[in-house]
Amino acid sequence: MTLPIHKRASTGGAPAPRRSAARTSSTVLCALGVFMLVNGLPIPRDATAGAIKGTVTLKGTAPELKKLAVTIDQYVCGKEKNPEELVLSPQGGIRSAVVWLDKPPAGASAAALAPTATMDQKECLFAPRVVVVPAGGKIDFLNSDRLLHNLHSTPSANPPFNRTQPKGRTITIPFEKPEIIRVTCDLHSWMRGWVVVAEHPYYALTDGAGEFELKGLPAGRYTLKVWQERLGTVSKEVVVGDQDPTPVTLEMPAR
Amino acid sequence: MALINSPLGAPVRAFARIRASVHVKLLAGFLLITFLVIALTVVSLRTVAETAREATLLDQAHERVVWSRQIEHALAMQMHFTSMTLLSQGEEPVSLILRENNRFNDTLARLETAAPAEERTLIQAIRGAQDDAMATVADIANAVRDKKLAEALTALRTRQEPIYQKIETLVGSLVSAEESRMAKLRQSLAATRRQSMRLMTGFAVASVVLALVGGFIISWSFILPVRAAHGFLSDVAAGRFGGTVVVPNRDEFGALAEHMTWMSRELHRLDDEQRVAAATLRGLNDRLALASRAKSEFLANMSHELRTPLNAILGFTEILLDELYGEVPANLREPLVDIQTNGRHLLRLINDVLDLSKIEAGRLELGLGEYSVQEIVEVVHASLRSLAIEKGLAFSVRVAPGIPAAWGDGRRLTQCLLNLAGNALKFTRQGRVDIDVSHADGWLTFKVADTGIGIPKEEVENIFAEFRQVDTTITREYGGTGLGLSITKRLVEMHGGRIGVESELGRGSTFFFTVPLHADGGPA
């Protein structure tokens, strides 16, 4: 068996204060997202079809994020975790932000999002941290750690779930209503995952550089929305015209 | 020369025979001891390290036992919380079960990391069972949340309990394995301690014994040759040459002994040579003495025999001059006076030779008796006054007042003073001659001072030898036998006194002799 303790120990930083994580985690949230399959979408034959290609960036000073101390199950989880609630590229691009059209164009045909996504739990972190799944889709929650995790979430529109998960067992959870759901683990308080249940196909997840692309858009004026777990939601008007793809930069103010 | 025995004779001699300098031997001895100490230190350090290692192993084993206990405890707690969950159906005991289960995993992981290889299999078995237990715990927890109590209870009884019992059994064997390992380690630790004690004691005893024996052997290997040399040198000092110093040493002491032996042989050889030479000389000396005595006796006899005819010649010459045989013609008187003068001179010479011969032959004896210094001086003065007047010299005598009657041979002492004063007058052309006699502390000092020709310094030592005058021309000018001073010296010495001279060439001389007031133990 591999020993993540040792691997993790070498990446360590300053120890953080202890938390009685196990006790306080009364609610669960383990979520999963669906990978957006933006790539490979067929370019619409429609002469009016266009695309938005842009970057989500941080405006202002990046907040200082402390490493998370791990006080339990170090043999799997390591001694500390990098904070992932805001991950920036060197150029300030924000990773794992979700961009979508506030109102999808009527009659437009974007490629449908994959109905099933996977969210694993590896070394006591949700991977990926954010998944997008279409409403009516499902997420397969996995556990690669040789210990118990406990998926826990109390969404507002979808039914809550609270499942104990040993290693190697897949728990599949369906999501019917569009919303952004937080998933936690009762046993490891630092674990956060987000499931974005998409209302329509025009959703995109930013990559490591903070870039995204929305395709299959007729020319017109749109309201773009972007959400990030720490920075909240920001809107921006975009006109899709002859230029293809339409470039856009979404700035999220630091807070 | 045999070595003085020492208690460890054989090793001492063997050590002495080693062909190395004292310096090297001492250094080697000290180094040997030092190496022993270093070896002792190394062994001690290794023992300490071994003990520390075993103690660490013991600690680790103990820690693993503690972890095993924790696992057992975690199991018990899981069972306990599972029961609670079933009773209360609440979320809180569920999370406690999960927590305990993960803690079990954590402890097991630590145990697996720390466990020795032979326990890995056991731990893998526990791990496998624990994987089952995790699934079961998850099922029970989820069943309780789904309100499926019957299902949960079944899972508890049919799955969880057997798994936990299995785990408990496995952990039990793990604990007993660790405990037997600990027992072995404790025994080994004790054995190491005992062994190190024995080793240390052995080393300490060996060091002490080696230091003592080594020191003893080394010091005796030095003491023995020194003693041998001491005995040998005592022999040499006592005059027993020719011995040898035999030492087994092949170091500086050996070289020294060889040198001493060589020196002794040389001394022996020189001693022999010197003895032979001395014997030869003694023989020669005896023969010389015999010859000398023969010569003296011959001279004494000869002188005596010569005097008889000479006395006849002098007697008849005197009778002729006294004209008892008739008137002597004027032209014969002068040759007759010459005959008489020369005859008397010849008689004096013969008398001197006779005296000296007697003295050398040991036949002269002093006629001891009481004498008056004053008388001696007066006799000498009277005898020589006419000569002084004839040469126009001042001639005075002075005798310290209050000299008591002396004991000795007055006639010979008179002869001595007469000799000195006569010489003084003879060798002084102008000026004066003074005789002075003084007395102090039982000794009489006779002094004769002149203003004559003096004596060169190099001649002063020889002036009292027989037939000696300053040079032959002097003999011709002043006459004399050259025996006077020699005879005087002998006579003074026979009285137990000494004679000497102080002189300055051309200015004059002062002869003096001292004799005891009472010579040769005479009456006080």
Side-chain angles (χ1 to χ4, degrees):
Chain A
M1 133 182 201
T2 58
L3 291 173
I5 292 179
H6 301 310
K7 262 192 218 161
R8 284 285 144 186
S10 62
T11 65
R18 281 169 186 266
R19 299 182 199 172
S20 51
R23 182 168 302 182
T24 56
S25 58
S26 56
T27 57
V28 187
L29 28 141
C30 285
L32 66 111
V34 177
F35 283 105
M36 280 190 62
L37 301 177
V38 176
N39 294 334
L41 285 178
I43 296 172
R45 310 279 166 145
D46 186 346
T48 59
I52 296 172
K53 189 168 184 180
T55 311
V56 181
T57 58
L58 180 71
K59 184 182 181 185
T61 315
E64 192 181 328
L65 300 175
K66 287 182 180 171
K67 292 200 171 193
L68 303 165
V70 173
T71 53
I72 52 172
D73 299 335
Q74 290 182 341
Y75 74 105
V76 172
C77 304
K79 287 188 177 165
E80 59 180 18
K81 289 291 170 197
N82 285 321
E84 291 185 332
E85 57 182 285
L86 179 57
V87 181
L88 298 172
S89 75
Q91 287 75 33
I94 299 173
R95 174 187 192 158
S96 295
V98 179
V99 182
W100 72 95
L101 295 182
D102 192 26
K103 285 176 185 167
S109 57
L113 297 170
T116 303
T118 305
M119 185 182 258
D120 195 2
Q121 292 164 95
K122 257 181 155 169
E123 296 178 4
C124 307
L125 287 177
F126 286 108
R129 188 177 175 89
V130 180
V131 294
V132 178
V133 67
K138 294 183 287 187
I139 292 182
D140 288 337
F141 286 95
L142 309 179
N143 180 5
S144 299
D145 292 336
R146 200 169 192 175
L147 45 67
L148 289 173
H149 282 304
N150 196 83
L151 294 171
H152 201 160
S153 185
T154 49
S156 43
N158 290 285
F161 54 91
N162 178 12
R163 308 308 282 176
T164 301
Q165 185 178 22
K167 180 184 169 159
R169 181 177 293 182
T170 303
I171 294 178
T172 305
I173 294 181
F175 294 93
E176 297 296 336
K177 307 278 176 59
E179 68 173 319
I180 296 174
I181 299 166
R182 188 176 72 164
V183 183
T184 59
C185 173
D186 284 349
L187 294 168
H188 305 104
S189 58
W190 63 88
M191 290 174 71
R192 289 278 182 287
W194 298 88
V195 176
V196 177
V197 187
E199 196 178 355
H200 52 77
Y202 297 97
Y203 274 72
L205 190 62
T206 58
D207 61 13
E211 291 170 353
F212 68 94
E213 189 170 18
L214 289 172
K215 290 179 179 176
L217 288 174
R221 177 180 293 269
Y222 298 96
T223 300
L224 271 183
K225 286 205 163 183
V226 58
W227 167 89
Q228 203 277 337
E229 60 173 287
R230 182 184 166 94
L231 303 175
T233 309
V234 171
S235 300
K236 186 169 184 178
E237 297 293 309
V238 178
V239 176
V240 176
D242 297 338
Q243 204 179 6
D244 188 28
T246 305
V248 65
T249 300
L250 296 170
E251 288 188 328
M252 301 190 82
R255 62 179 194 178
Chain B
M1 174 171 193
L3 269 182
I4 300 159
N5 283 333
S6 75
L8 283 172
V12 167
R13 271 187 285 277
F15 182 78
R17 266 186 221 110
I18 294 171
R19 198 181 294 276
S21 71
V22 170
H23 177 70
V24 169
K25 285 178 181 177
L26 283 178
L27 214 58
F30 284 126
L31 278 181
L32 186 62
I33 302 292
T34 309
F35 282 140
L36 257 187
V37 172
I38 290 173
L40 176 60
T41 312
V42 168
V43 168
S44 308
L45 286 178
R46 285 182 57 182
T47 308
V48 168
E50 175 64 18
T51 309
R53 193 183 69 82
E54 285 177 342
T56 307
L57 286 177
L58 193 61
D59 273 356
Q60 288 170 349
H62 185 255
E63 201 168 28
R64 290 198 294 274
V65 168
V66 169
W67 288 338
S68 304
R69 300 286 185 211
Q70 281 179 6
I71 284 179
E72 287 175 332
H73 179 71
L75 279 180
M77 291 305 280
Q78 283 179 67
M79 293 301 284
H80 169 69
F81 289 133
T82 308
S83 308
M84 266 179 68
T85 305
L86 287 174
L87 276 175
S88 69
Q89 300 166 35
E91 186 60 32
E92 198 168 331
V94 172
S95 67
L96 288 174
I97 302 174
L98 306 182
R99 182 72 263 134
E100 284 301 329
N101 195 269
N102 276 354
R103 184 174 294 161
F104 183 105
N105 278 323
D106 192 44
T107 313
L108 192 59
R110 270 189 257 165
L111 199 53
E112 188 171 14
T113 310
E118 61 266 29
E119 286 173 8
R120 290 276 157 81
T121 323
L122 201 53
I123 290 174
Q124 289 299 335
I126 296 174
R127 170 66 77 193
Q130 163 64 6
D131 284 345
D132 292 346
M134 270 199 286
T136 311
V137 165
D139 287 343
I140 291 173
N142 291 335
V144 169
R145 285 164 181 158
D146 297 343
K147 307 294 179 196
K148 295 175 181 168
L149 284 184
E151 195 178 298
L153 199 56
T154 310
L156 173 67
R157 288 168 60 182
T158 59
R159 291 166 61 197
Q160 193 177 7
E161 280 182 2
I163 292 170
Y164 281 10
Q165 276 168 10
K166 182 181 173 190
I167 294 177
E168 245 182 289
T169 311
L170 290 169
V171 171
S173 7
L174 191 64
V175 167
S176 63
E178 287 293 352
E179 277 175 346
S180 74
R181 173 183 300 277
M182 279 165 70
K184 273 184 201 160
L185 277 170
R186 284 198 192 94
Q187 280 177 1
S188 163
L189 210 54
T192 306
R193 204 162 47 231
R194 278 195 302 273
Q195 193 193 352
S196 80
M197 282 293 286
R198 279 198 295 270
L199 215 56
M200 301 270 209
T201 311
F203 259 113
V205 169
S207 295
V208 169
V209 168
L210 193 70
L212 283 178
V213 171
F216 188 88
I217 288 176
I218 291 177
S219 56
W220 271 101
S221 82
F222 298 158
I223 291 170
L224 292 187
V226 169
R227 284 196 180 172
H230 183 259
F232 170 78
L233 287 177
S234 299
D235 280 357
V236 170
R240 291 189 291 276
F241 305 122
T244 53
V245 193
V246 178
V247 296
N249 297 52
R250 291 183 186 174
D251 46 24
E252 286 90 332
F253 290 110
L256 191 63
E258 275 176 28
H259 277 109
M260 286 197 295
T261 303
W262 179 82
M263 176 198 79
S264 164
R265 289 207 186 104
E266 281 299 296
L267 280 176
H268 186 58
R269 193 175 60 76
L270 290 173
D271 185 48
D272 282 352
E273 283 178 9
Q274 188 254 337
R275 278 174 203 276
V276 170
T280 312
L281 282 176
R282 255 199 308 280
L284 281 174
N285 202 35
D286 289 349
R287 275 155 57 198
L288 278 175
L290 277 176
S292 179
R293 190 170 301 136
K295 176 210 72 177
S296 298
E297 282 182 4
F298 170 75
L299 280 176
N301 293 334
M302 199 57 158
S303 307
H304 187 69
E305 294 303 324
L306 285 173
R307 271 207 304 197
T308 309
L310 190 55
N311 277 333
I313 291 170
L314 283 174
F316 284 115
T317 308
E318 193 163 355
I319 291 169
L320 282 174
L321 283 173
D322 286 350
E323 297 183 339
L324 292 179
Y325 292 112
E327 193 176 345
V328 178
N331 57 341
L332 282 182
R333 180 160 288 270
E334 194 178 349
L336 281 175
V337 170
D338 282 349
I339 290 171
Q340 190 180 34
T341 305
N342 283 296
R344 280 183 183 155
H345 184 55
L346 183 58
L347 183 61
R348 243 187 348 265
L349 281 176
I350 289 170
N351 280 340
D352 280 355
V353 170
L354 186 61
D355 279 351
L356 197 61
S357 301
K358 275 186 182 166
I359 291 167
E360 287 189 345
R363 295 205 329 233
L364 184 80
E365 289 182 0
L366 293 179
L368 295 177
E370 204 173 83
Y371 66 92
S372 161
V373 175
Q374 186 71 39
E375 269 177 26
I376 288 176
V377 173
E378 278 171 8
V379 167
V380 171
H381 187 246
S383 306
L384 297 173
R385 188 170 48 197
S386 56
L387 180 58
I389 290 167
E390 198 176 300
K391 291 189 75 172
L393 300 172
F395 183 36
S396 74
V397 295
R398 195 183 73 83
V399 177
I403 295 179
W407 186 266
D409 189 336
R411 198 173 66 83
R412 290 295 185 189
L413 288 176
T414 306
Q415 186 186 349
C416 288
L417 193 58
L418 204 55
N419 270 340
L420 294 184
N423 278 349
L425 288 169
K426 201 195 298 180
F427 293 113
T428 303
R429 292 200 190 101
Q430 58 182 12
R432 55 184 302 113
V433 171
D434 299 308
I435 294 176
D436 177 272
V437 184
S438 58
H439 166 243
D441 299 331
W443 288 84
L444 293 170
T445 303
F446 295 80
K447 263 189 201 169
V448 180
D450 64 46
T451 57
I453 57 174
I455 305 161
K457 273 200 178 97
E458 59 272 21
E459 289 291 335
V460 167
E461 288 184 11
N462 295 323
I463 199 80
F464 297 104
E466 293 89 348
F467 306 104
R468 276 304 192 125
Q469 284 175 341
V470 173
D471 68 38
T472 47
T473 58
I474 290 174
T475 310
R476 277 198 299 278
E477 184 179 347
Y478 299 98
T481 60
L483 291 176
L485 279 178
S486 188
I487 292 166
T488 304
K489 179 170 184 272
R490 304 286 181 111
L491 290 174
V492 167
E493 282 171 358
M494 286 175 76
H495 273 88
R498 292 173 58 84
I499 191 167
V501 62
E502 293 166 359
S503 179
E504 199 175 340
L505 196 61
R507 285 282 185 85
S509 309
T510 300
F511 281 84
F512 59 87
F513 63 86
T514 59
V515 288
L517 191 59
H518 297 280
D520 208 12

